Amino acid sequence: MTGQYTAPNSLSETIQLTCELISRASVTPDDKGCQELMAKRLEAIGFTVEKLVFGEVTNFWARRGTEGPVLAMAGHTDVVPTGPESQWTHPPFEPVIEDGMLYGRGAADMKGSLAAFITATERFIQNSPEHKGSIAFLITSDEEGPADNGTVKVIETLEARGEKIDWCLIGEPSSTAVLGDIIKNGRRGSLHGHLKIRGVQGHVAYPHLAQNPMHLAFRPLAALADEIWDQGNEYFPATTFQFTNIHSGTGASNVIPGEIEAQFNLRYCTELTEDDIKSRVHALLDQHDIDYSIDWHLSGLPFLTEPGPLVDAAIQSIKDVTGRTTELSTTGGTSDGRFIAPTGAQVLELGPLNATIHKVNECVNASDLDDLSAIYEGILNQLLGE
């Protein structure tokens, strides 16, 4: 049945398309035909679709219009693995609606949003065929994985030819309690460190002939964990530091190990830069008499979209469709917005509830997807309507 699902005609266009997408088992980096399905719908309403393949990753850039401003809808067709399928109430790639909830891997993250993007755009173009500016889609199959050959490569391609995005709407599941209660107008930066502290290996009975790196590490590691990095600001919570792994030892109970390794991560706000953090980490460690090295990996810079055309349009559209007042937030992990924002684009994440994402029995309220499509259409009308 996977990949061959036909939704009942009694369902809305958005729900039908979501079900068709869910039925394709597109675990990272396999797209399984999701993008082809979307591309056909977009080509039928006047989009030029450019397929961009890097390694095992399938991406596409679609655009309708040649003038600015450019409103791009960005998202991913890949999903995380299902986990034990025996724990699912229904097979994860066979969409089922039960008690108003649509079940299936990707229902919330983020095939429901992709379907809502498509149907909102179809209605908008039907009503505004001569719309202002351009509408674009940036879709990848490598968001849940390494993200090396997905959105970042598409952005590099666009930048190389001088093609810019003015506003970018990402369909990540941003809502918490009810649809539209939260939208993400920024994300914290993410910086990883792999710290090695070296000692001298030896026999536990002759500690004077060795130097135990674990003993050396206790105080500097505690200093890093206790550091207050900043107080946050109007838009961001305070920067956080977390150790994610600490390892030492040879496996033998009578050997003093030669080194200890510690991995850590900082989720940091716009009060700090990457260089600020590195400098402060080294300064803390240099206060101790240790032989150490650090390998750094920057996962993403912090970004912020302040209130303006995109944020205002989203807030108003949510209010028009649901009657709710939304809240701006920068909490949570990273998203592909980290690759798009540095180009100068305003970036906003707006999608369904995130309560079940990556879980067994992932689901979304089916009616929320219809409302989400209406919200996206409202944003299109406000920014690009005739």
Side-chain angles (χ1 to χ4, degrees):
M1 181 174 180
T2 298
Q4 301 175 352
Y5 181 85
T6 302
N9 291 331
S10 59
L11 301 177
S12 71
E13 285 281 335
T14 302
I15 305 303
Q16 288 185 55
L17 181 53
T18 303
C19 290
E20 291 179 58
L21 292 170
I22 290 172
S23 70
R24 290 158 168 79
S26 55
V27 177
T28 311
D30 294 326
D31 172 69
K32 296 295 186 184
C34 291
Q35 292 182 26
E36 181 181 1
L37 176 62
M38 295 177 66
K40 286 181 178 178
R41 299 277 288 253
L42 292 173
E43 287 171 338
I45 53 175
F47 279 80
T48 298
V49 179
E50 180 181 2
K51 188 175 181 180
L52 298 165
V53 179
F54 303 103
E56 297 180 309
V57 177
T58 305
N59 312 281
F60 78 76
W61 170 253
R63 181 165 173 169
R64 187 182 196 271
T66 58
E67 303 295 327
V70 178
L71 170 59
M73 299 186 179
H76 58 91
T77 54
D78 60 315
V79 297
V80 296
T82 63
E85 292 196 22
S86 60
Q87 295 182 14
W88 285 70
T89 304
H90 309 285
F93 297 111
E94 296 181 15
V96 170
I97 297 178
E98 187 173 273
D99 297 327
M101 302 299 292
L102 171 58
Y103 290 85
R105 174 59 85 221
D109 189 15
M110 59 176 291
K111 292 182 175 181
S113 297
L114 296 180
F117 277 156
I118 295 286
T119 57
T121 304
E122 289 171 337
R123 293 192 306 272
F124 172 72
I125 289 174
Q126 183 178 13
N127 295 324
S128 300
E130 304 298 326
H131 59 79
K132 293 181 289 188
S134 299
I135 310 170
F137 279 71
L138 195 170
I139 307 298
T140 183
S141 67
D142 183 32
E143 195 274 346
E144 298 289 9
D148 293 330
N149 289 315
T151 299
V152 63
K153 288 289 180 68
V154 178
I155 289 295
E156 288 174 2
T157 301
L158 298 178
E159 286 286 288
R161 64 192 189 204
E163 193 168 359
K164 290 287 189 179
I165 297 169
D166 295 283
W167 304 306
C168 184
L169 189 59
I170 302 178
E172 288 291 350
S174 62
S175 304
T176 300
V178 290
L179 179 67
D181 60 348
I182 300 287
I183 53 178
K184 305 282 188 180
N185 66 320
R187 291 282 191 165
R188 296 174 295 174
S190 179
L191 181 62
H192 302 274
H194 186 172
L195 169 66
K196 291 184 180 180
I197 298 176
R198 289 171 286 273
V200 177
Q201 184 173 318
H203 195 293
V204 294
Y206 303 94
H208 60 290
L209 300 177
Q211 190 177 38
N212 195 319
M214 290 189 283
H215 294 189
L216 298 174
F218 289 149
R219 287 183 177 85
L221 294 187
L224 289 173
D226 291 342
E227 180 74 357
I228 297 174
W229 299 90
D230 56 47
Q231 300 296 327
N233 57 35
E234 178 184 0
Y235 295 105
F236 287 91
T239 293
T240 61
F241 176 101
Q242 290 293 312
F243 284 109
T244 56
N245 189 33
I246 297 179
H247 174 75
S248 188
T250 65
S253 61
N254 60 349
V255 177
I256 295 171
E259 68 177 21
I260 182 172
E261 298 185 27
Q263 292 173 300
F264 58 86
N265 174 265
L266 290 105
R267 294 300 167 104
Y268 67 101
C269 73
T270 50
E271 293 296 303
L272 296 174
T273 67
E274 176 188 359
D275 289 340
D276 291 336
I277 293 171
K278 290 179 178 179
S279 177
R280 287 176 61 178
V281 168
H282 283 288
L284 284 167
L285 294 174
D286 289 343
Q287 295 175 19
H288 303 269
D289 185 20
I290 56 174
D291 177 15
Y292 75 91
S293 62
I294 305 177
D295 290 327
W296 296 97
H297 172 67
L298 179 67
S299 179
L301 294 167
F303 68 89
L304 176 70
T305 297
E306 297 193 33
L310 181 60
V311 171
D312 294 347
I315 290 173
Q316 185 59 53
S317 188
I318 291 168
K319 184 74 171 179
D320 291 343
V321 174
T322 69
R324 295 174 188 132
T325 299
T326 195
E327 175 186 343
L328 300 178
S329 172
T330 59
T331 59
T334 59
S335 76
D336 274 2
R338 69 190 189 274
F339 304 126
I340 302 168
T343 68
Q346 294 182 27
V347 177
L348 192 68
E349 299 172 27
L350 168 57
L353 271 65
N354 55 29
T356 63
I357 60 174
H358 294 204
K359 293 183 178 181
V360 168
N361 289 331
E362 180 180 351
C363 61
V364 65
N365 189 310
S367 65
D368 278 356
L369 296 184
D370 290 322
D371 286 344
L372 184 62
S373 180
I375 290 170
Y376 291 156
E377 184 183 4
I379 295 171
L380 282 162
N381 277 320
Q382 291 182 67
L383 295 177
L384 298 180
E386 295 177 12

